[in-house]
Amino acid sequence: MERKEHKIMVAVDQSQESMHALSWCLSNLISDTNNKKKLVLLHVQPPPAVCSLDTAGYVFAPEVIAAMEKYSMELANSVMDKAEAICRKLNAKDIIAERVIGMGDAKNVICSTVLKLDADTLVMGSHGYGFFKRTLFGSVSDHCAKHAKCPVIIVKQP
Amino acid sequence: MERKEHKIMVAVDQSQESMHALSWCLSNLISDTNNKKKLVLLHVQPPPAVCSLDTAGYVFAPEVIAAMEKYSMELANSVMDKAEAICRKLNAKDIIAERVIGMGDAKNVICSTVLKLDADTLVMGSHGYGFFKRTLFGSVSDHCAKHAKCPVIIVKQP
């Protein structure tokens, strides 16, 4: 029986840390081209019409929402382009990376995408935030390390 | 300039989960024999004369301490033997695993051994404990994912 293709999902965002995690993955997990491996780049956008500070549930005017969505999509494309540039730089010939853009709360979307795409390994950066930022954002990697249904690799910036 | 040997440290204990993490590591990180990789098996014993329920700071008679130390060493050897049997099974010819036995609070000893031995990657299981046991023991992998100075791979039992 042929072994199924090994699917590695890397969660990427605009942080240097996530790009470092991708580089680590390419150098350490995908360097062995004899194995069948597939790379999935996952970027999660925030849910529409909710900005990260919108805890009070503000409602925005349609043009503001449209501008935020446009910005969000441009950011996603820029993150993906940067990630693919790293793939080309480190693995020019072999790797075809699939782009997946999710929307919602990053930690939940990452875990559910692991399930949905049946990923074998999840790779992500661990933001080196201080206390305040960690309280707000830092729990994504903690949450995924606990809840994702596959091995999780947390790569820190050296 | 020759790249330094890539040192992979696997934290092993008597749990099936840690043995599964070791198997995952051998299949996914060390399968590529072209790369220079070194495996370190780390087992951490509890500090002497303190059993895991000794929150009240009981003092034990010398013969009890001696028995506990003997048990602890036998356990360490049995864990290492089991781990090496897995190495032989999955990678019979190539891998030479170095045994390292630490002593103290697992999460601190694992992080400090990563630093001391300059490990490039840390692999560990994530105990699937329920709430009560996680509160007592489960924070080892969480702590290491945050604090170890190298990429950390958390492997869950499928």
Side-chain angles (χ1 to χ4, degrees):
Chain A
M1 198 183 72
E2 213 183 343
R3 237 185 90 196
K4 94 170 180 61
E5 195 181 53
H6 190 97
K7 198 182 274 182
I8 299 176
M9 182 182 291
V10 184
V12 288
D13 58 20
Q14 61 274 37
S15 72
Q16 264 209 326
E17 274 229 325
S18 78
M19 294 301 153
H20 176 72
L22 174 63
S23 303
W24 186 91
C25 168
L26 291 166
S27 307
N28 290 280
L29 289 180
I30 310 193
S31 58
D32 175 11
T33 50
N34 298 325
N35 287 342
K36 281 180 152 185
K37 280 174 185 167
K38 189 181 175 180
L39 180 66
V40 178
L41 299 170
L42 170 65
H43 176 71
V44 184
Q45 299 178 315
V50 176
C51 91
S52 58
L53 293 173
D54 179 26
T55 48
Y58 292 119
V59 177
F60 295 102
E63 62 272 21
V64 177
I65 293 176
M68 277 173 8
E69 280 172 7
K70 184 166 173 280
Y71 169 75
S72 190
M73 191 44 79
E74 281 172 4
L75 181 67
N77 287 331
S78 133
V79 166
M80 289 298 189
D81 290 347
K82 208 168 148 190
E84 284 185 357
I86 291 175
C87 293
R88 278 195 302 277
K89 196 175 148 199
L90 291 179
N91 252 289
K93 47 199 184 317
D94 305 308
I95 300 299
I96 296 170
E98 184 187 345
R99 294 179 172 207
V100 176
I101 297 184
M103 189 174 280
D105 182 37
K107 60 183 188 296
N108 297 328
V109 174
I110 292 171
C111 290
S112 64
T113 309
V114 161
L115 264 185
K116 210 159 95 184
L117 300 189
D118 194 22
D120 298 286
T121 309
L122 170 65
V123 181
M124 55 197 309
S126 152
H127 295 283
Y129 292 143
F131 174 74
F132 179 70
K133 277 201 171 176
R134 176 176 279 281
T135 307
L136 280 174
F137 308 113
S139 59
V140 176
S141 59
D142 297 1
H143 179 94
C144 295
K146 268 185 211 133
H147 299 287
K149 296 287 178 216
C150 71
V152 179
I153 307 184
I154 311 285
V155 185
K156 278 169 233 79
Q157 191 94 16
Chain B
M1 199 183 75
E2 213 183 345
R3 236 185 89 194
K4 93 168 182 61
E5 196 179 53
H6 189 99
K7 198 182 273 184
I8 298 175
M9 181 181 292
V10 184
V12 287
D13 58 20
Q14 61 275 37
S15 72
Q16 263 209 326
E17 274 229 327
S18 78
M19 294 301 154
H20 176 73
L22 173 63
S23 303
W24 186 92
C25 167
L26 291 166
S27 307
N28 290 278
L29 289 181
I30 311 192
S31 58
D32 175 10
T33 49
N34 297 325
N35 287 342
K36 281 181 153 185
K37 279 172 185 168
K38 189 181 175 180
L39 181 66
V40 177
L41 299 170
L42 169 66
H43 176 72
V44 184
Q45 299 178 317
V50 176
C51 88
S52 57
L53 292 174
D54 180 27
T55 49
Y58 292 121
V59 177
F60 296 102
E63 61 273 22
V64 177
I65 293 175
M68 277 174 4
E69 280 172 8
K70 186 167 172 279
Y71 168 76
S72 190
M73 192 43 81
E74 280 171 4
L75 181 66
N77 287 332
S78 132
V79 166
M80 289 296 190
D81 290 346
K82 210 168 147 188
E84 284 185 356
I86 291 175
C87 294
R88 279 195 301 277
K89 198 175 147 199
L90 292 180
N91 252 290
K93 48 199 183 314
D94 306 308
I95 300 298
I96 296 170
E98 183 187 347
R99 295 179 173 207
V100 176
I101 296 184
M103 189 173 281
D105 181 35
K107 59 183 188 297
N108 296 329
V109 174
I110 292 171
C111 289
S112 64
T113 310
V114 161
L115 263 185
K116 209 159 95 186
L117 300 189
D118 194 19
D120 297 286
T121 309
L122 169 66
V123 181
M124 55 197 310
S126 151
H127 294 284
Y129 291 143
F131 173 76
F132 181 69
K133 276 200 170 176
R134 176 176 279 282
T135 308
L136 281 173
F137 308 113
S139 60
V140 177
S141 59
D142 297 0
H143 179 94
C144 294
K146 268 186 213 131
H147 298 287
K149 296 286 177 217
C150 70
V152 179
I153 307 185
I154 311 284
V155 185
K156 280 170 230 78
Q157 190 94 14

